[in-house]
Amino acid sequence: MTVVHDNLEKTEAKMSAKGVSVFYGDKKAIDDVSIDIPTEYVTAFIGPSGCGKSTFLRTLNRMNDTIPTARVEGEIDLDGQDIYRSGMDVVQLRARVGMVFQKPNPFPKSIYDNIAYGPKIHGLAEGKDELDAIVEKSLKRAGLWEEVKDRLQDSGTALSGGQQQRLCIARAIAVDPEVILMDEPCSALDPIATAKIEELIAELSGRFAIVIVTHSMQQAARVSQRTAFFHLGKMVEYGRTSDIFTNPHEQRTQDYITGRYG
Amino acid sequence: MSPAILLFLALGLGLAGWLAARARAWTFRRDSANGRIASLPNYHAWYVALWIILPVLAFVALWSVIAPGLVGQSVLASPAAADLPDFGFQRQTILNEARAVATGAAPAVFNPQAAALVEPYREALSHYNLIGIAVTALIAFLGGTYAFLRLKPDFAARTKVERIVMAILLAASLVAILTTIGILASLVFETARFFGMVSPIDFLFGTHWGPDPMANPDNPDPTRYGAVPLFWGTLFIGAIIAMIVAIPLGLMSAIYLTQYANPTLRKWIKPTLEILAGVPTVVYGYFAALTIAPAIRDIALSLGASNPSTESALAAGLVMGVMIIPFVSSMADDSITAVPQAMRDGSLAMGATTSETIRRVLVPAALPGIVAGIMLAISRAIGETMIVVMAASTAANLSANPLDRMTTVTVQIVKMLTGEGSFDHPATLSAFALGFVLFMVTLGLNFIALSVVKRYREAYE
Ligand SMILES: Nc1ncnc2c1ncn2[C@@H]1O[C@H](COP(=O)(O)OP(=O)(O)OP(=O)(O)O)[C@@H](O)[C@H]1O
Ligand SMILES: [Mg+2]
């Protein structure tokens, strides 16, 4: 089963998965995963392609609901309350647990409207001034303000890939979530844009609970303090990032991080 | 008959060239050091074949135009032609008869004078047939040899063939464009004749329509040629009433089908909807005239309208609206489906509900396709004739009351062209002017649709 390192500081879990399994039809994609996600640290999910990282990430804000064949078993708590309980408001959940996708997916709207989208939907702003303030604050936090402040009415899709991804992050933080899920947010970006996003993650960490899926060990080592290694739908090992990389307890983890496969 | 022979000849020679070139290219390949040549043998083969077939086709096209003239001339030069009546109709009949017998299209001559010409005709025909075949063979040989001699191991046959194919494709697309220009030219010509008799001002701004095909054609009454009631009827029935029905229903069904319906339901509803587009408009016409129009009259009666007619713009417009639902819905469906899943996910992940996602992200992103579908539906509706004839009458009426009888441009085109007037009577010619206006309007609609699509596409990509 999952090897959890025993030298971890005691933290309060923002989100907590308990015995979660996910099926696509009859196929089991995630098998009995339990993990706590703290606000204090950035958590990285690593593992070979197809091992279920994205699948598990998407259960955390119930994005798997959009896939008709997907079925989730087990319990996932947000602040101690099961997000899969009946009567759970998915709209509220997703406002609290935001998501950034692998490929930047800005809406075909202006930069301003991209950021204003969430606040408008959730009624976070009273009047134009407040909305303007939210847009400015979010863009500043995402480190995009200086680049776009003179062209907020331009289409968000006209930005470069890295700018688009920061726009998507800004869009996600505009609704003031408590958790941000990022699924390989830098896989479509060049090293400079990647560095900007990593900087941004460091900036945001501590304020939001952040989970990042990545294929790059270096990135996991740079941005995260906790790492979970997934393999064939199971969570194999969980611990401090530095320990996972220098002193893994499991052979499969060792093989993966030394590049034996994946 | 003779062009067909030439074509077969060309194809045969082309095939021969194809085979020869391919064999040659294979030898290059065998002889080359690494078993590679610049282009595959098939490209060499096609290069030679096209160089044979295309010039021959050009020659055959030309020849089939000029050969009959050449034959005719040589027949006229023969001694037997000296006895022909000097001019005109009779002379032509005799010549035609002789030719028919000579080519085997008719069994025997009827006119004795023609009998003498059969033999010269036959001779001339076979003479020019021979020339045609010889020239064809010569052209094929020259083209084929030229192409064949250019074959080399490093010859870029692929690029050349692709360039030729591109030219053929270009020619194919020119056919459609030239046809459009031809249609427009003939319309413009007849329209100009009409406007020579009735001033465009009277036609475009007059409010009374009632051309009299029996009136004196030289002095038409311009006050009877005001087409405004027709334009209004077309707009009111096709672009207003029908769209009020078709746009909401079409859009809503597309949204339901793409976003809410489960796959099995979608599999049933979508084709069923599309069947609507295949129902002949006459059948819709029955439905409008026999079911909807009387029902509307009864309702109007019960609501206290005095003396409503059995034919009404409303009946035609409603049924027309139903008819074009599939145009709107299937275009909208396609363009909503084409919006990337990532957009949808992005919106849902922000905590938007399905309906917010549809309203704020999917429909705006799919707007170009939706607008294009609506424009298509409008052009289809304003070009529709049958339903209007059957349900809204042929009486021109300038009125904003949907219960009134009305008529449209297309209906009047049919009425004027099939009326009693002679062909160059202004009443008949007015059909062309109406057609011209309709053509311009449809063109304008398509133009708007395209530019809308383009603008949004620029903004969204
Ligand atoms: N919509 C789906 N329907 C059916 N099976 C799916 C679906 N999405 C993913 N799977 C399967 O679930 C398993 C885990 O997929 P997932 O996308 O979570 O992997 P991943 O770890 O994110 O891989 P990668 O690193 O390549 O993104 C895979 O075997 C995949 O084939
Ligand atoms: Mg993935």
Side-chain angles (χ1 to χ4, degrees):
Chain A
M1 276 297 306
T2 311
V3 175
V4 180
H5 293 196
D6 48 20
N7 59 350
L8 299 174
E9 297 84 352
K10 193 104 186 82
T11 54
E12 198 179 327
K14 183 73 195 171
M15 294 194 84
S16 159
K18 294 168 185 162
V20 172
S21 297
V22 184
F23 301 82
Y24 290 115
D26 296 334
K27 203 179 134 241
K28 205 173 203 175
I30 286 291
D31 185 8
D32 192 19
V33 169
S34 301
I35 185 174
D36 283 352
I37 291 159
T39 299
E40 291 91 327
Y41 304 120
V42 175
T43 308
F45 290 173
I46 61 170
S49 185
C51 68
K53 306 178 296 291
S54 301
T55 302
F56 184 64
L57 195 73
R58 288 164 65 95
T59 59
L60 297 179
N61 69 344
R62 293 189 54 171
M63 278 304 284
N64 279 334
D65 291 9
T66 63
I67 300 171
T69 56
R71 188 162 53 82
V72 178
E73 280 176 6
E75 185 181 332
I76 296 178
D77 292 344
L78 174 63
D79 284 339
Q81 284 207 302
D82 186 6
I83 62 171
Y84 282 90
R85 71 179 186 275
S86 68
M88 175 74 208
D89 183 358
V90 184
V91 166
Q92 284 308 317
L93 169 69
R94 291 183 187 148
R96 294 173 65 190
V97 183
M99 187 159 205
V100 176
F101 295 83
Q102 173 168 5
K103 253 184 71 193
N105 59 348
F107 300 129
K109 298 172 178 292
S110 70
I111 294 171
Y112 183 95
D113 286 340
N114 262 283
I115 311 290
Y117 187 77
K120 271 187 194 159
I121 285 176
H122 298 294
L124 298 184
E126 255 176 71
K128 176 104 173 81
D129 292 346
E130 217 170 311
L131 197 58
D132 288 350
I134 292 180
V135 169
E136 181 173 343
K137 189 178 86 184
S138 310
L139 283 170
K140 276 185 173 152
R141 269 166 151 188
L144 194 58
W145 177 250
E146 287 305 320
E147 286 155 76
V148 300
K149 66 173 185 235
D150 298 323
R151 47 180 187 138
L152 291 177
Q153 291 312 320
D154 287 8
S155 173
T157 50
L159 296 171
S160 78
Q163 289 172 328
Q164 287 188 15
Q165 194 63 302
R166 278 181 283 149
L167 181 68
C168 291
I169 295 176
R171 183 174 78 184
I173 57 186
V175 293
D176 235 337
E178 296 155 37
V179 182
I180 300 179
L181 311 174
M182 300 189 182
D183 192 350
E184 300 181 42
C186 302
S187 65
L189 306 182
D190 73 359
I192 295 173
T194 301
K196 284 210 167 124
I197 304 259
E198 288 179 2
E199 228 169 79
L200 175 58
I201 293 171
E203 185 86 8
L204 300 175
S205 78
R207 209 166 337 173
F208 309 97
I210 296 177
V211 184
I212 177 170
V213 171
T214 175
H215 273 285
S216 152
M217 306 310 154
Q218 292 89 339
Q219 181 168 64
R222 282 193 300 262
V223 302
S224 74
Q225 295 80 43
R226 293 285 179 271
T227 294
F229 172 65
F230 285 76
H231 184 57
L232 296 178
K234 293 197 168 60
M235 192 168 103
V236 174
E237 188 165 352
Y238 175 75
R240 285 185 183 159
T241 299
S242 51
D243 292 341
I244 295 280
F245 283 108
T246 53
N247 181 24
H249 298 3
E250 273 280 316
Q251 186 60 39
R252 281 174 292 173
T253 316
Q254 170 90 35
D255 288 349
Y256 180 70
I257 59 177
T258 53
R260 206 89 38 98
Y261 55 54
Chain B
M1 194 179 117
S2 116
I5 292 179
L6 296 183
L7 284 183
F8 275 116
L9 190 64
L11 289 181
L13 290 170
L15 182 66
W18 194 88
L19 291 171
R22 203 167 71 131
R24 178 115 177 88
W26 275 111
T27 66
F28 293 153
R29 190 159 178 173
R30 258 197 310 281
D31 297 345
S32 75
N34 53 3
R36 300 175 68 91
I37 50 178
S39 301
L40 291 177
N42 272 3
Y43 282 110
H44 287 87
W46 277 114
Y47 178 71
V48 172
L50 286 172
W51 258 104
I52 294 174
I53 292 174
L54 292 180
V56 168
L57 282 184
F59 168 72
V60 170
L62 192 68
W63 187 244
S64 58
V65 175
I66 60 170
L70 293 175
V71 170
Q73 263 177 19
S74 80
V75 170
L76 289 180
S78 72
D83 304 339
L84 274 177
D86 247 3
F87 230 70
F89 187 63
Q90 243 180 334
R91 180 186 165 104
Q92 202 52 47
T93 330
I94 294 172
L95 282 172
N96 286 348
E97 209 173 297
R99 188 178 58 215
V101 175
T103 56
V109 287
F110 174 72
N111 194 319
Q113 262 185 308
L117 285 174
V118 170
E119 214 30 56
Y121 238 117
R122 214 168 257 158
E123 267 168 28
L125 274 177
S126 69
H127 177 68
Y128 281 106
N129 255 351
L130 268 183
I131 292 184
I133 292 175
V135 176
T136 303
L138 183 69
I139 290 177
F141 179 75
L142 287 179
T145 315
Y146 167 75
F148 196 82
L149 289 179
R150 295 187 66 186
L151 299 187
K152 270 183 301 183
D154 61 353
F155 178 62
R158 176 164 32 81
T159 9
K160 293 265 169 16
V161 168
E162 266 160 15
R163 207 167 300 154
I164 297 174
V165 167
M166 197 196 73
I168 295 176
L169 296 179
L170 177 70
S173 62
L174 281 182
V175 169
I177 293 174
L178 290 179
T179 314
T180 315
I181 292 176
I183 291 175
L184 191 61
S186 70
L187 263 184
V188 166
F189 180 72
E190 302 292 347
T191 304
R193 277 178 66 189
F194 172 71
F195 283 147
M197 305 176 191
V198 176
S199 111
I201 307 285
D202 291 329
F203 176 74
L204 289 176
F205 300 107
T207 56
H208 173 69
W209 180 260
D212 179 2
M214 290 296 130
N216 177 10
D218 298 327
N219 192 13
D221 176 4
T223 60
R224 302 184 69 115
Y225 285 90
V228 169
L230 308 187
F231 299 150
W232 167 246
T234 307
L235 204 71
F236 195 46
I237 296 177
I240 299 178
I241 301 179
M243 288 305 137
I244 288 176
V245 176
I247 293 176
L249 289 182
L251 269 186
M252 286 193 269
S253 69
I255 288 173
Y256 175 73
L257 284 179
T258 53
Q259 304 301 318
Y260 294 101
N262 69 37
T264 17
L265 202 60
R266 177 178 163 86
K267 224 166 57 206
W268 280 98
I269 297 186
K270 202 168 167 355
T272 313
L273 246 177
E274 273 156 14
I275 287 176
L276 268 185
V279 176
T281 56
V282 181
V283 177
Y284 280 108
Y286 287 138
F287 180 59
L290 299 182
T291 314
I292 302 297
I296 286 177
R297 189 205 42 195
D298 292 346
I299 293 172
L301 264 182
S302 70
L303 291 178
S306 62
N307 199 16
S309 107
T310 35
E311 295 170 317
S312 66
L314 188 59
L318 288 181
V319 173
M320 205 186 271
V322 172
M323 177 188 83
I324 55 184
I325 286 175
F327 287 82
V328 178
S329 79
S330 82
M331 288 281 279
D333 187 321
D334 290 347
S335 51
I336 290 177
T337 316
V339 175
Q341 180 69 26
M343 291 295 152
R344 222 178 144 236
D345 281 353
S347 170
L348 292 175
M350 295 296 303
T353 62
T354 309
S355 69
E356 281 166 339
T357 303
I358 291 168
R359 232 172 0 152
R360 292 168 178 261
V361 175
L362 296 184
V363 169
L367 206 58
I370 294 174
V371 171
I374 290 173
M375 293 292 171
L376 190 71
I378 294 182
S379 350
R380 171 79 206 245
I382 66 178
E384 168 54 32
T385 317
M386 225 48 225
I387 295 176
V388 183
V389 175
M390 296 171 83
S393 96
T394 58
N397 219 336
L398 187 59
S399 152
N401 180 356
L403 297 176
D404 276 343
R405 308 155 56 127
M406 267 179 217
T407 191
T408 62
V409 171
T410 49
V411 171
Q412 290 306 310
I413 291 178
V414 174
K415 192 172 162 204
M416 291 302 135
L417 277 183
T418 55
E420 296 101 77
S422 65
F423 196 73
D424 43 13
H425 192 284
T428 314
L429 288 176
S430 71
F432 293 101
L434 290 173
F436 181 70
V437 172
L438 197 63
F439 184 91
M440 294 315 279
V441 169
T442 331
L443 201 70
L445 279 179
N446 286 343
F447 189 75
I448 294 172
L450 283 181
S451 65
V452 166
V453 169
K454 208 173 129 218
R455 190 159 73 230
Y456 277 93
R457 186 165 295 153
E458 273 165 5
Y460 284 167
E461 263 167 16

